[in-house]
Amino acid sequence: MGSKASTLAENQGESLTVDQALANLNQTADSSLRYYAAWWLGRFRVSTPVVIEALIGALGDEVDRAPDGGYPLRRNAARALGKLGDRQAVPPLIQCLTCPDYYVREAAAQALEQLGDPRAIQPLRSLLAGGVAAAVPVPGKPHLVQPYNAVLEALGSLGAREAVAEIQPFLDHEIAQVQNAAARALYQLTGDAAYGQQLVERLQAPNLQLRRSAMMDLGAIGYLPAAQPIAATLAENSLKLIALQGILETHLHRTGFPQGGLSSEARQVLALMDELL
Amino acid sequence: MVNLAELIEAVETADSKAAMVMAVRHLAAAQHPEAIPTLIAVLGYNNPGAAVAAVDGLVTLGRPAVPALLDQLDGYNYGARAWAIRALALIGDPLALPVLLETAAGDFALSVRRAAVRGLGNLNWEWLAADQVLPAQSQALQVLRQSTQDPEWVVRYAAVVGLETLALARLKSTNRATVEAIAHHLQAMLTAEETPAVQARAWLAFEVLRQL
């Protein structure tokens, strides 16, 4: 399938080798090379011990600073560590949840979700402190005080049932995306279809971005009754296909495909996907 | 009876995304061949709702829209190109075969490859002269088989759908050997394919062919 790092790198028009990327990450003279190397190592899934060690080191970088005071290299290192699946990164990523840079906290929460380690649950919950009343925008910034979407989604994926009561109030947060993240997490934690339906209703929202994000959420949680509404919503076929893939594959997993054959529900989802090609 | 020129002008002067969608729907509903250039132009406006309506209109007009679609394929705007290829795929005129073959095998944008691959399985072969059918189907078959190795899962998925429809068309043209070869290829995918959605589609296609 040509998924070898070398072939893919050529397709990107930027050819790096693993050794070069590692050398670029370990030098400190050119921060743009470090930044790119961190992204590259994650993109091409290079998860050797030296790479993990170097990326964990980059989470403490003090050199690469954005005009807003943020830490671009730390953000990329956190994102890469999320993709590489090595749980050694969990404690240093947990530390990143208290980084002053919002985007480092967001990338760390997403990475901790991907790594699937329950040690992250408590530290993630602490970012919900103060509840909805505290979840307000930072003046002059395009974001809230914490990366609530990423935190709620991570708690859902990590199976943090103990956090249900804290998550529920976020269904009434004033920002629709946060409501979606809460509904998604609550569906994962409780299996209650009412939360899935709440996301399905979003597919009728007048705003295209909201419809798109609800589709991706429904795909991520594999909510089978959403298949038909997703096929019918007004959005790009490419995104609908990705969402339906998520729903189909969750269902295939639950029904023991291929040993168990194809259920009639799976056949219906496949028929919807065929029409969108 | 609304004047066609007025309908075209409404598309050209629409001042919001929603107004554009409505204007394109009205123009498409007129089913008039002179609307074709305007409907094709809409494919490049980066307005998915309007593009869907324009594709519907072009597909309803059918074969008369094909020469203009082929002539105006936009090589620089892959959004527009994907919509135009989709229109060609749904119309199914074998005149589009060379473009679909080239696009399926070589376009860099996966949404464009996906639409082209789908089109290769959806051609109305009976619109070709009898002696051209088998050579054309062989070309389509070769590219569809290649596309089951595409790096993008959705292109491989489309290739499975294409192989299934091609096998069913072949059956009508009595070439049993090709049908067997396609069934064999699908069977090999059942174990080699790593994306469950594609594997499931290959399973379904294999089941359909086996029951014939």
Side-chain angles (χ1 to χ4, degrees):
Chain A
M1 226 116 296
S3 61
K4 282 207 159 77
S6 56
T7 3
L8 285 167
E10 280 162 29
N11 290 343
Q12 296 299 312
E14 273 286 354
S15 48
L16 267 186
T17 63
V18 172
D19 290 342
Q20 256 178 316
L22 191 59
N24 288 353
L25 184 61
N26 282 327
Q27 54 87 42
T28 49
D30 183 340
S31 55
S32 69
L33 280 182
R34 300 187 79 190
Y35 180 80
Y36 183 75
W39 171 83
W40 191 95
L41 291 162
R43 168 70 179 82
F44 296 112
R45 301 285 197 277
V46 184
S47 56
T48 54
V50 275
V51 168
I52 300 293
E53 193 188 331
L55 287 169
I56 289 175
L59 291 178
D61 173 67
E62 289 289 351
V63 179
D64 186 8
R65 301 300 294 269
D68 64 357
Y71 295 89
L73 176 62
R74 294 189 191 188
R75 298 172 191 168
N76 264 8
R79 290 178 192 125
L81 285 165
K83 294 187 179 123
L84 297 182
D86 190 324
R87 291 191 179 192
Q88 273 186 73
V90 170
L93 283 168
I94 287 173
Q95 284 197 330
C96 288
L97 292 176
T98 55
C99 178
D101 180 358
Y102 171 92
Y103 296 105
V104 171
R105 299 198 299 279
E106 181 180 55
Q110 288 165 340
L112 288 164
E113 174 182 16
Q114 288 171 294
L115 293 179
D117 190 314
R119 280 178 291 173
I121 291 176
Q122 274 310 324
L124 284 164
R125 283 173 76 184
S126 65
L127 297 194
L128 300 182
V132 175
V136 294
V138 178
K141 300 276 187 181
H143 57 70
L144 302 174
V145 292
Q146 294 294 356
Y148 292 99
N149 287 355
V151 170
L152 293 167
E153 288 174 11
L155 288 170
S157 298
L158 293 174
R161 298 214 177 147
E162 61 272 42
V164 164
E166 288 150 61
I167 296 173
Q168 251 154 354
F170 285 88
L171 289 172
D172 298 319
H173 192 277
E174 61 178 338
I175 295 178
Q177 308 279 8
V178 177
Q179 298 167 12
N180 284 4
R184 165 180 166 160
L186 289 167
Y187 178 76
Q188 284 175 303
L189 297 175
T190 66
D192 184 340
Y195 299 120
Q197 279 312 122
Q198 189 162 335
L199 289 168
V200 169
E201 280 162 30
R202 281 274 189 260
L203 297 174
Q204 302 303 319
N207 177 317
L208 175 63
Q209 282 302 343
L210 265 185
R211 296 198 298 276
R212 283 178 181 151
S213 77
M215 265 197 320
M216 293 301 108
D217 285 336
L218 288 161
I221 63 176
Y223 186 62
L224 187 61
Q228 180 69 52
I230 285 172
T233 193
L234 280 174
E236 300 85 341
N237 286 5
S238 298
L239 293 185
K240 293 184 185 183
L241 284 161
I242 293 170
L244 289 174
Q245 180 200 20
I247 287 175
L248 174 66
E249 293 189 350
T250 302
H251 178 74
L252 292 173
H253 185 71
R254 281 184 193 146
T255 52
F257 177 83
Q259 287 75 22
L262 281 178
S263 67
S264 63
E265 290 90 346
R267 288 164 198 269
Q268 284 163 17
V269 180
L270 287 167
L272 293 170
M273 291 172 74
D274 285 5
E275 288 303 310
L276 294 166
L277 294 173
Chain B
M1 174 78 195
V2 186
N3 185 324
L4 188 75
E6 283 173 23
L7 291 172
I8 289 173
E9 201 195 327
V11 172
E12 285 166 352
T13 58
D15 56 4
S16 73
K17 292 220 164 200
M20 168 70 74
V21 175
M22 288 314 296
V24 174
R25 281 185 187 158
H26 289 141
L27 179 61
Q31 297 192 27
H32 199 294
E34 283 173 30
I36 290 170
T38 309
L39 292 173
I40 292 176
V42 169
L43 305 180
Y45 290 174
N46 191 26
N47 178 338
V52 167
V55 168
D56 285 349
L58 290 163
V59 172
T60 307
L61 284 162
R63 297 181 79 181
V66 170
L69 274 167
L70 290 172
D71 195 46
Q72 292 175 45
L73 269 185
D74 192 332
Y76 298 98
N77 176 345
Y78 78 79
R81 193 172 163 83
W83 288 115
I85 294 287
R86 180 166 168 79
L88 288 167
L90 292 172
I91 294 169
D93 189 330
L95 267 184
L97 179 63
V99 162
L100 295 178
L101 288 169
E102 188 193 329
T103 306
D107 202 282
F108 76 93
L110 72 100
S111 57
V112 182
R113 290 205 302 283
R114 179 191 84 213
V117 165
R118 144 104 166 171
L120 286 175
N122 196 46
L123 293 175
N124 291 291
W125 304 105
E126 64 276 15
W127 295 353
L128 279 172
D131 62 335
Q132 289 172 27
V133 173
L134 284 181
Q137 287 185 341
S138 296
Q139 286 180 298
L141 177 60
Q142 194 199 342
V143 171
L144 283 169
R145 288 173 73 144
Q146 271 171 28
S147 299
T148 62
Q149 303 294 318
D150 195 279
E152 297 291 343
W153 75 269
V154 77
V155 178
R156 301 199 298 279
Y157 185 106
V160 171
V161 175
L163 284 173
E164 180 188 299
T165 34
L166 185 61
L168 297 174
R170 278 279 178 145
L171 211 62
K172 283 188 264 174
S173 55
T174 71
N175 191 328
R176 190 77 210 178
T178 318
V179 179
E180 296 296 337
I182 290 174
H184 190 73
H185 189 85
L186 290 169
Q187 191 175 24
M189 285 184 79
L190 293 180
T191 47
E193 175 57 46
E194 57 194 27
T195 302
V198 181
Q199 203 188 17
R201 191 62 187 81
W203 177 291
L204 182 62
F206 181 66
E207 194 182 75
V208 168
L209 297 195
R210 202 184 41 190
Q211 284 170 358
L212 291 173

